[in-house]
Amino acid sequence: QVQLVESGGGLVQPGGSLRLSCTASRIIFSNVAMGWYRQAPGKQRDLVASLSSGGTTNYADSAKGRFTISRDNAKNTVYLQMNSLKAEDTAVYYCYAQSGLVSYWGQGTQVPVSS
C-alpha cells in the first residue's frame, strides 16, 4: 500500500519560513505527479502547488513568489519551501501523489502562522 508521510510542520511567526517534506513509499516515485494541498479551518481543501513527473510546476496565486515545490527522486521526497508566511497560510497541509487516475494522500501536517 502506498504511503505518504509528511513532516516539517509547526508553529511559525508571520514573515518566517518553513520547509515541508513528504516521503513516499511503495510507489514508483519518478513516474508520479506530486503536490501539496491545504485546508484551513472551516474551508475546503485547496491546491497549493504541484509538480509533474516531468518537472512542470503549478502554483496557487496565493503561493506564487513565496512558495517553491521541488522533488528529490532519489529520496522519494517532495518538498514545499514556504517563505514570507502570513497568518492566512495557517492550515493543515496535505501531500498527495497522482498516479494515473489514482490519488494518494498523506495524513496532513499542521502549520499555524501566529505571533
Side-chain angles (χ1 to χ4, degrees):
Q1 184 172 348
V2 174
Q3 280 191 315
L4 302 177
V5 179
E6 300 114 331
S7 61
L11 178 64
V12 60
Q13 293 186 340
S17 297
L18 210 58
R19 188 176 81 157
L20 304 182
S21 301
C22 172
T23 299
S25 60
R26 304 186 184 93
I27 194 169
I28 303 175
F29 187 80
S30 59
N31 290 352
V32 301
M34 301 292 296
W36 294 89
Y37 275 71
R38 70 185 182 187
Q39 187 167 18
K43 296 189 176 181
Q44 66 182 23
R45 191 177 295 189
D46 292 323
L47 177 70
V48 177
S50 64
L51 178 55
S52 73
S53 58
T56 301
T57 57
N58 182 42
Y59 292 94
D61 287 343
S62 59
K64 289 178 181 176
R66 299 187 301 127
F67 294 2
T68 302
I69 188 170
S70 62
R71 64 195 293 164
D72 185 338
N73 289 341
K75 296 182 178 180
N76 281 12
T77 300
V78 63
Y79 304 97
L80 184 68
Q81 177 67 42
M82 303 187 293
N83 299 326
S84 303
L85 283 161
K86 307 174 183 179
E88 49 264 44
D89 294 317
T90 294
V92 178
Y93 284 71
Y94 296 91
C95 170
Y96 81 92
Q98 184 78 33
S99 178
L101 298 178
V102 181
S103 297
Y104 304 94
W105 292 89
Q107 80 285 357
T109 185
Q110 297 225 13
V111 178
V113 182
S114 175
S115 55

